[in-house]
């Protein structure tokens, strides 16, 4: 200040400016100059010095000045407490507040706002509640929006519901209050409620600010609502926020996430100014939509326009180079570029390179890069351990875990999450428990991610009780926790529990598309069409919150096809706004399972006409469809086309389909020759396909040879022994049957029990052969006896060849008439009224006599009977089956 002597009014303003500009040297000079003046004793100047030093992060200097103030007032205390909070020294700030209380000073709104921030960060719920009470008693809550806002923000740390209760009682609100409430829901993963609060804010007449717009755009991305996102974009234009780079960046990401990459590109190109963050976001868009060529071209354009890439640019590109050899070459070229740019020693780049090489299974390169990282951090170790565990290199993953424990780097919760990925079956049970013990012993924070990983580990290790206790005892279960636990039940073949857990879930959190897809697989597993239909209706009612994305539509398509309703699957397929390879695969597979091989081939042709390139799964579905419908020549043509026209290398599953195709058609010699010419070693599934064909055509000699190969590969699979035993029994070779059953007994192997089930009014009714445990057993057998009597009169003759026991014909007839399929059909007829179709499921291949029974009964009662066995559907209508007796 030239020619003007500083005074106690001007100096605080100057020091405030120094603090904002981080002008430490200037501020120090002013302080030194003041030491020889009377102003150094002025409390306003001293408080300004405290504030300046705090703003510059020099807390020791701030305390030195503060301690020298002879008569500290409330403003001085507020400056030091707020300064410590601003520097994230929350515990120290709380201690300072307690010292302030000893000087009999009453906190004001500034004090409590700073304190509530400290209590939230330090998880001091009790002190925060005491401050809340103080605010209520002294009128601070009702008169000051900043105080109410601070309380809302504080409680959001401990549960958004409490936070909302406080918000609703606020008399005075401002835009910041609304922003904190919206952020609370968004941070808690409840983006739909965040958007609902935003709508209330607009209806209450509040004008949103830049912060509001940024949060709401991100919420639109989270919920997957392009329509809402576009409306918020219009709002941003209306309030002149549309050219702000943060808003442009958020909008660009939102459009990309919601499948409108064209809008992202248009937005980027129209932006008047572009910083490196915006270029990186656009690069991310190309990577996310799988346009790797465009991503590389965009990166080149970025450099040509003089934009200097940063570490994030390189990391984004590296994240896209997975799976394909061509991508590995591109990844190596980016690695070379990083070396030339001097970025290769950067920790984040090193971590991205480790991840890229690991995803390509180039672990030698991954280890080399890992060893070259100059400043290795816990993320570096987590990346390597996770990659090793995911790819089955358990030993090396454990070695890395041991090394990090012995290093100066502390493992964190994500290290434990990474190593727990190795514990994927019961053999790792003890190791998993030891890791859990290590977490507790070393006081590693059990956050949502770690609790979910521990729960999943115990489920994988067949310790459901511990998994459930962990899940239920965690106070704030998020959507990911629920989805993971449901997925664990699905993975462990407990679909009923998965469905039950889903019903509990929807009373606590809003499911997303992942939740629905997980639980739909349970419906598919049980062929529970009514439950699948209820889920479809639930999803349609909540379309605004769930969003009908393509993955979800494909899941419903698959569910309907595999639950016996191919007509509904076709309807969904026809109205899909766009179809990807998964959509076509599901439809081809559905047609195949329902014996509609020609429709499957037509769908395959239409897929090619639509420009969708088939993948490995497409050919599995198409070849299987040919097999179920006897389209041998078409199947052979497809197999050769897969190799020659689409450059897809056949895998074991494709060879298995071909053996099944030839075997079902009776070309057993060709099937055996096909196996001998395979370029890869056939696995058990390939040999089992041939053994199944031997059963159909009673080829006992070849069956014995095939069985010998099978038991070399699967010595403990009882199903292989049973299959050969059935072949011998059908041929009347009872001495061979007895030998096989003796071998099963000696080896302690159990025959998998055959069972059929039907779902009536949401309840699963399960039957086994000769079952009399059902409460309506008498009615079932009465109905069955009546059916058998009626269909015998119109030509049904029991086929005793399907009774694979050495006994008198009378006993065989009794056994045949109490097969599980027949019991389920009889129960269905007495339980499902009207003309509704009867849907039966069986875990094994349907018995030939039951197949005939189904045809005769369908004509007798004039109702469709749908039977899903272990590999396909049989639709019995008016005495005929959809399989045309080719099964």
């Amino acid at each position: 200040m030239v020619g003007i002597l500083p005074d106690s009014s001007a100096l605080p303003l100057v020091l405030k400016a120094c603090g904002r500009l981080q002008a430490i040297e200037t501020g120090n000079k002013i302080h030194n100059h003041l030491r020889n003046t009377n102003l150094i004793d002025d409390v306003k100047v001293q408080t300004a010095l405290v504030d300046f030093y705090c703003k510059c992060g020099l807390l020791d200097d701030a305390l030195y000045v503060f301690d020298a103030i002879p008569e500290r007032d409330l403003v001085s205390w507020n400056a030091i407490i707020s300064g410590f909070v601003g520097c994230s020294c929350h515990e120290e700030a709380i201690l300072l507040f307690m010292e302030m209380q000893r000087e009999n000073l009453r906190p004001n709104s500034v004090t409590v706002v700073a304190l509530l921030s400290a209590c939230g960060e330090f998880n001091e719920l009790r002190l925060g509640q005491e401050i809340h009470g103080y605010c209520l008693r002294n009128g601070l809550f009702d008169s000051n929006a900043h105080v109410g806002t601070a309380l809302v923000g504080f409680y959001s740390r401990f549960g958004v519901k409490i936070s909302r209760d406080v918000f609703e009682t606020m008399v005075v609100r401002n835009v910041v209050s609304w922003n904190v409430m919206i952020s609370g829901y968004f941070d808690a993963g409840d983006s739909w409620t965040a958007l609902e609060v935003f709508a209330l804010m607009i209806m209450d007449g509040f004008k949103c600010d830049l912060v509001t717009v940024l949060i709401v755009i991100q919420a639109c991305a989270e919920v997957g609502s392009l329509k809402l996102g576009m409306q918020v974009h219009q709002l941003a234009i209306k309030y002149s926020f549309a050219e702000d780079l943060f808003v442009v960046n958020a909008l660009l990401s939102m459009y990309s996430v919601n499948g409108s990459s064209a809008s992202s590109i248009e937005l980027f190109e129209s932006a008047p100014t572009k910083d490196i963050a915006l270029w990186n976001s656009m690069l991310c868009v190309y990577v996310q939509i799988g346009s790797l060529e465009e991503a590389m071209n965009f990166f080149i354009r970025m450099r040509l326009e003089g934009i200097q890439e940063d570490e994030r640019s390189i990391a984004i590109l590296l994240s896209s180079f997975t799976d394909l050899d061509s991508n590995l070459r591109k990844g190596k070229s980016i690695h070379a570029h990083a070396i030339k740019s001097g970025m290769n020693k950067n920790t984040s780049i090193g971590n991205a390179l480790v991840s890229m090489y690991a995803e390509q299974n180039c672990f030698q390169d991954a280890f080399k890069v890992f060893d070259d990282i100059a400043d290795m951090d816990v993320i570096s170790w987590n990346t390597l351990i996770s990659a090793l565990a995911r790819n089955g290199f358990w030993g090396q993953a454990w070695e890395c875990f041991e090394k990090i424990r012995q290093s100066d780097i502390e493992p964190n919760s994500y290290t434990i999450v990474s190593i727990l990925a190795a514990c994927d079956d019961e053999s790792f049970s003890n190791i998993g428990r030891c890791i859990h013990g290590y977490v507790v012993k070393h006081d590693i924070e059990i956050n949502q991610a770690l609790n979910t990983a521990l729960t999943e580990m115990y489920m994988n290790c067949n310790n459901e009780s511990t998994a459930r206790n962990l899940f239920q005892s965690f106070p704030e279960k998020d959507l990911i926790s629920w989805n993971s636990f449901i997925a664990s039940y699905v993975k462990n073949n407990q679909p009923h529990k998965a469905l039950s857990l889903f019903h509990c879930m929807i009373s606590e959190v809003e499911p997303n598309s992942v939740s629905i897809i997980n639980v739909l697989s349970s419906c598919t597993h049980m062929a529970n069409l009514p439950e699948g239909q209820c889920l479809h209706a639930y999803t349609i009612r909540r379309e605004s919150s769930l969003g009908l994305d393509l993955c979800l539509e494909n899941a419903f398509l698959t569910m309907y096809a595999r639950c016996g309703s191919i007509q509904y699957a076709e309807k969904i397929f026809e109205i899909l706004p766009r179809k990807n390879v998964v959509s076509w695969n599901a439809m081809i597979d559905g047609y195949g399972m329902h014996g509609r091989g020609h429709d499957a081939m037509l769908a395959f042709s239409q897929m090619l006409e639509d420009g969708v390139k088939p993948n490995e799964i497409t050919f599995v579905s198409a070849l299987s469809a040919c097999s179920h419908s006897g389209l041998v020549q078409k199947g052979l043509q497809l197999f050769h086309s897969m190799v020659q026209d689409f450059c897809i290398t056949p895998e074991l599953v494709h060879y298995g389909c071909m053996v099944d195709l030839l075997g079902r058609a009776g070309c057993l010699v060709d099937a055996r020759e096909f196996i001998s010419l395979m370029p890869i070693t056939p696995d058990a599934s390939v040999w089992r396909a041939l053994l199944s064909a031997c059963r159909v055509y009673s080829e006992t000699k070849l069956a014995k040879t095939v069985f010998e190969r099978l038991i070399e590969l699967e010595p403990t699979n009882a199903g292989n022994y049973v299959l050969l035993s059935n072949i011998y029994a059908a041929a009347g070779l009872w001495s061979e049957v007895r030998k096989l059953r003796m071998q099963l007994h000696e080896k302690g192997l159990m025959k998998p029990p055959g069972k059929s089930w039907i779902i009536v009014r949401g309840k699963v009714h399960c039957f086994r052969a000769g079952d009399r445990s059902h409460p309506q057993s008498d009615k079932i057998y009465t109905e069955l006896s009546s059916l058998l009597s009626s269909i015998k009169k119109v030509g049904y003759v029991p086929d005793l060849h399907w009774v694979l026991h050495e006994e008198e014909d009378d006993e065989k007839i009794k056994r045949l008439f109490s097969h599980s399929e027949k019991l389920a059909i009889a129960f269905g007829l007495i339980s499902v009224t009207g003309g509704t179709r009867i849907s039966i499921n069986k875990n094994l291949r349907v018995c030939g006599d039951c197949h005939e029974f189904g045809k005769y009964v369908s004509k007798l009662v004039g109702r469709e009977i749908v039977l899903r066995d272990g590999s396909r559907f049989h639709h019995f209508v008016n005495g005929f089956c959809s399989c045309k007796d080719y099964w």
Side-chain angles (χ1 to χ4, degrees):
M1 295 182 291
V2 181
I4 302 174
L5 292 174
D7 58 27
S8 60
S9 298
L11 271 172
L13 296 175
V14 173
L15 287 168
K16 188 174 184 179
C18 290
R20 284 184 176 177
L21 297 170
Q22 297 289 292
I24 296 173
E25 188 177 346
T26 304
N28 274 328
K29 284 180 180 179
I30 293 171
H31 188 185
N32 289 330
H33 175 72
L34 291 173
R35 292 181 196 278
N36 300 318
T37 69
N38 292 331
L39 288 170
I40 195 67
D41 296 322
D42 187 289
V43 70
K44 289 182 181 178
V45 174
Q46 290 168 322
T47 300
L49 283 166
V50 169
D51 182 62
F52 158 70
Y53 282 121
C54 285
K55 290 284 195 305
C56 295
L58 303 171
L59 296 182
D60 289 339
D61 295 306
L63 271 176
Y64 176 79
V65 175
F66 180 77
D67 289 338
I69 300 174
E71 292 185 15
R72 293 174 293 212
D73 60 10
L74 184 57
V75 179
S76 308
W77 279 103
N78 284 347
I80 194 72
I81 292 170
S82 297
F84 270 73
V85 170
C87 291
S88 299
C89 295
H90 305 111
E91 186 177 7
E92 291 85 346
I94 292 169
L95 292 172
L96 282 166
F97 168 68
M98 291 175 177
E99 189 180 337
M100 168 187 149
Q101 286 184 306
R102 287 194 287 272
E103 294 193 9
N104 294 320
L105 290 169
R106 293 175 63 80
N108 64 5
S109 61
V110 176
T111 325
V112 298
V113 167
L115 273 175
L116 286 167
S117 177
C119 291
E121 292 291 340
F122 201 57
N123 288 321
E124 268 287 350
L125 177 60
R126 187 172 178 179
L127 179 57
Q129 289 171 325
E130 289 176 5
I131 294 167
H132 188 181
Y134 174 85
C135 293
L136 291 171
R137 288 193 302 274
N138 291 275
L140 294 176
F141 179 74
D142 291 335
S143 63
N144 194 305
H146 297 299
V147 172
T149 301
L151 280 164
V152 170
F154 163 72
Y155 281 115
S156 68
R157 301 267 181 171
F158 304 94
V160 73
K161 186 180 183 302
I162 309 170
S163 181
R164 180 66 178 271
D165 290 341
V166 174
F167 178 78
E168 293 297 339
T169 60
M170 284 178 69
V171 176
V172 183
R173 295 176 188 164
N174 58 18
V175 69
V176 180
S177 317
W178 285 98
N179 287 349
V180 170
M181 195 65 254
I182 294 167
S183 292
Y185 279 112
F186 179 75
D187 293 339
D190 191 354
S191 294
W192 270 115
T193 308
L195 290 169
E196 287 169 4
V197 174
F198 169 67
L200 289 173
M201 171 186 173
I202 299 299
M203 286 188 286
D204 272 10
F206 284 88
K207 181 182 175 182
C208 58
D209 63 7
L210 181 63
V211 174
T212 324
V213 171
L214 283 170
I215 301 165
V216 172
I217 292 169
Q218 292 176 77
C220 291
E222 285 293 318
V223 301
S225 176
L226 179 61
K227 185 179 178 181
L228 280 174
M230 292 172 74
Q231 289 173 351
V232 176
H233 189 174
Q234 291 299 316
L235 206 61
I237 294 169
K238 178 182 176 181
Y239 291 125
S240 303
F241 298 133
E243 291 188 4
D244 181 273
L245 279 175
F246 291 107
V247 171
V248 174
N249 213 325
L251 283 168
L252 191 148
S253 298
M254 182 275 296
Y255 280 122
S256 173
V257 167
N258 287 323
S260 183
S261 55
S263 298
S264 296
I265 295 166
E266 184 181 345
L267 192 65
F268 176 82
E269 297 298 347
S270 64
T273 56
K274 303 177 181 74
D275 61 2
I276 184 63
L278 196 61
W279 282 90
N280 284 343
S281 292
M282 195 61 233
L283 190 61
C284 236
V285 170
Y286 285 119
V287 169
Q288 286 169 355
I289 63 175
S291 301
L292 305 186
E293 282 298 327
E294 284 92 338
M296 286 296 290
N297 292 336
F298 186 78
F299 179 70
I300 293 165
R301 173 191 162 187
M302 177 177 167
R303 302 195 70 230
L304 289 173
E305 292 192 20
I307 304 297
Q308 181 61 50
E309 73 277 6
D310 60 9
E311 289 85 358
R312 186 163 181 263
S313 316
I314 302 298
I316 291 167
L317 274 179
L318 289 171
S319 69
S320 67
F321 301 134
T322 56
D323 300 333
L324 301 176
D325 290 340
S326 59
N327 288 341
L328 178 59
R329 289 193 294 273
K330 290 174 185 174
K332 286 186 173 181
S333 70
I334 295 296
H335 187 182
H337 176 77
I339 293 170
K340 288 177 186 175
S341 305
M343 294 187 196
N344 60 306
K345 299 293 182 183
N346 177 275
T347 305
S348 61
I349 296 295
N351 294 343
L353 284 164
V354 169
S355 180
M356 186 267 292
Y357 282 121
E359 289 293 335
Q360 297 276 0
N361 286 321
C362 299
F363 279 96
Q364 189 174 352
D365 292 314
F367 277 111
K368 187 176 178 182
V369 171
F370 180 79
D371 292 336
D372 286 342
I373 298 174
D375 189 17
M376 204 178 291
D377 60 9
V378 70
I379 298 172
S380 313
W381 284 99
N382 293 352
T383 302
L384 186 60
I385 291 169
S386 177
L388 289 166
R390 280 199 319 270
N391 287 278
F393 296 100
W394 315 127
Q396 287 170 290
W398 292 116
E399 285 175 20
C400 287
F401 182 62
E402 286 301 318
K403 284 179 182 177
I404 190 175
R405 286 177 59 193
Q406 293 162 16
S407 71
D408 294 332
I409 298 171
E410 287 287 330
N412 62 14
S413 58
Y414 296 101
T415 318
I416 307 302
V417 170
S418 299
I419 196 64
L420 282 172
C423 305
D424 65 343
D425 62 44
E426 203 167 349
S427 64
F428 290 95
S429 181
N430 289 334
I431 294 171
R433 280 198 296 268
C434 288
I435 293 171
H436 193 178
Y438 175 87
V439 169
V440 175
K441 182 179 177 182
H442 290 82
D443 200 26
I444 294 173
E445 179 197 5
I446 300 183
N447 54 20
Q448 290 276 11
L450 180 51
N451 195 72
T452 299
L454 284 165
T455 303
E456 192 173 330
M457 178 273 293
Y458 280 114
M459 283 295 289
N460 290 339
C461 294
N462 200 26
N463 189 343
E464 184 189 341
S465 59
T466 304
R468 186 170 274 278
N469 286 337
L470 272 172
F471 176 77
Q472 291 177 336
S473 62
F474 201 78
E476 292 290 331
K477 291 182 279 290
D478 63 4
L479 186 58
I480 296 171
S481 306
W482 285 97
N483 286 348
S484 173
F485 205 24
I486 290 170
S488 292
Y489 274 129
V490 173
K491 180 183 174 184
N492 288 281
N493 294 318
Q494 295 178 283
H496 297 89
K497 290 184 177 179
L499 277 168
S500 175
L501 188 64
F502 174 77
H503 290 300
C504 293
M505 170 190 175
I506 58 177
S507 65
E508 294 195 26
V509 297
E510 185 77 21
N512 63 3
S513 59
V514 175
S515 321
I516 305 296
I517 290 168
N518 277 338
V519 81
L520 271 176
S521 63
S522 296
C523 298
T524 303
H525 180 84
M526 295 188 297
N528 191 341
L529 181 60
E531 188 72 38
Q533 289 172 319
C534 288
L535 278 169
H536 197 182
Y538 174 89
T539 305
I540 291 169
R541 288 197 303 272
R542 285 163 176 76
E543 183 177 350
S544 59
S545 60
L546 285 166
L548 286 180
D549 60 29
L550 188 55
C551 290
L552 192 53
E553 295 280 18
N554 287 339
F556 278 114
L557 193 161
T558 301
M559 181 276 294
Y560 279 116
R562 294 187 178 180
C563 289
S565 184
I566 192 70
Q567 296 88 349
Y568 273 105
E570 285 177 314
K571 286 179 182 178
I572 290 176
F573 183 76
E574 286 166 6
I575 62 172
L576 285 178
R578 65 186 181 94
K579 302 175 179 71
N580 63 6
V581 68
V582 178
S583 316
W584 287 102
N585 289 353
M587 206 63 240
I588 293 167
D589 182 63
Y591 282 134
M593 287 182 69
H594 288 267
R596 292 170 58 176
H598 291 287
D599 288 328
M601 294 305 98
L602 181 60
F604 180 81
S605 299
Q606 289 173 339
M607 174 185 182
L608 298 181
E609 288 174 15
D610 277 14
V612 179
K613 185 179 178 182
N615 60 15
E616 295 87 347
I617 297 169
T618 315
F619 282 98
V620 172
S621 300
L623 289 171
S624 179
C626 290
S627 178
H628 285 307
S629 297
L631 305 176
V632 178
Q633 290 305 314
K634 184 61 180 176
L636 290 168
Q637 179 190 332
L638 274 175
F639 186 80
H640 292 303
S641 176
M642 175 177 74
V643 178
Q644 294 167 6
D645 300 330
F646 297 98
C647 301
I648 295 174
T649 303
E651 299 172 12
L652 282 165
V653 65
H654 299 105
Y655 288 109
C657 287
M658 289 304 296
V659 171
D660 189 56
L661 172 75
L662 294 167
R664 282 178 191 267
C667 308
L668 299 181
V669 175
D670 293 333
R672 180 68 184 86
E673 186 181 353
F674 183 86
I675 294 174
S676 67
L677 295 174
M678 282 174 57
I680 53 178
T681 305
D683 69 351
S685 66
V686 174
W687 288 111
R688 193 158 33 250
L690 184 55
L691 187 60
S692 296
C694 291
R695 178 188 180 182
V696 175
Y697 293 97
S698 301
E699 183 55 66
T700 55
K701 186 178 179 181
L702 179 58
K704 184 177 181 181
T705 305
V706 173
F707 174 74
E708 288 169 355
R709 294 294 185 93
L710 262 176
I711 58 170
E712 289 174 12
L713 297 168
E714 293 182 339
T716 60
N717 187 340
N720 298 327
Y721 290 85
V722 173
L723 188 52
L724 182 63
S725 172
N726 291 345
I727 293 170
Y728 284 151
L733 302 174
W734 296 110
S735 60
E736 297 297 326
V737 172
R738 285 191 290 273
K739 285 179 187 177
L740 283 168
R741 289 178 179 169
M742 183 63 70
Q743 286 179 42
L744 274 173
H745 180 72
E746 289 171 353
K747 293 176 184 289
L749 302 177
M750 295 289 292
K751 172 188 173 183
K755 60 180 180 180
S756 299
W757 67 94
I758 179 173
I759 299 167
V760 178
R761 289 182 284 278
K763 186 177 179 182
V764 179
H765 299 265
C766 192
F767 300 92
R768 288 186 169 85
D771 198 345
R772 287 190 173 271
S773 62
H774 196 278
Q776 292 180 268
S777 184
D778 290 343
K779 286 185 179 180
I780 293 168
Y781 276 93
T782 300
E783 176 70 10
L784 183 55
S785 178
S786 173
L787 290 170
L788 288 166
S789 176
S790 298
I791 62 177
K792 281 179 182 177
K793 293 175 182 176
V794 292
Y796 166 73
V797 178
D799 188 350
L800 300 185
H801 287 97
W802 292 95
V803 181
L804 306 173
H805 293 267
E806 189 179 9
E807 55 193 7
E808 295 298 323
D809 284 357
D810 287 347
E811 291 301 317
K812 286 186 177 183
I813 289 172
K814 285 181 184 178
R815 192 182 295 274
L816 193 66
F817 287 174
S818 62
H819 275 191
S820 64
E821 300 98 307
K822 294 185 178 76
L823 294 173
I825 290 172
F827 175 73
L829 289 171
I830 63 173
S831 304
V832 181
T833 57
T836 310
R837 75 178 189 177
I838 309 295
S839 294
I840 310 294
N841 308 282
K842 185 173 183 182
N843 63 330
L844 304 176
R845 190 176 190 268
V846 64
C847 149
D849 182 72
C850 291
H851 189 267
E852 285 298 302
F853 174 83
K855 291 197 292 183
Y856 275 97
V857 171
S858 71
K859 187 172 184 178
L860 176 72
V861 300
R863 294 171 73 174
E864 180 184 5
I865 299 171
V866 180
L867 194 154
R868 186 183 83 166
D869 69 8
S871 61
R872 65 173 301 153
F873 281 92
H874 300 270
H875 293 258
F876 302 113
V877 180
N878 198 31
F880 296 95
C881 180
S882 58
C883 74
K884 300 178 178 63
D885 296 337
Y886 186 88
W887 53 282

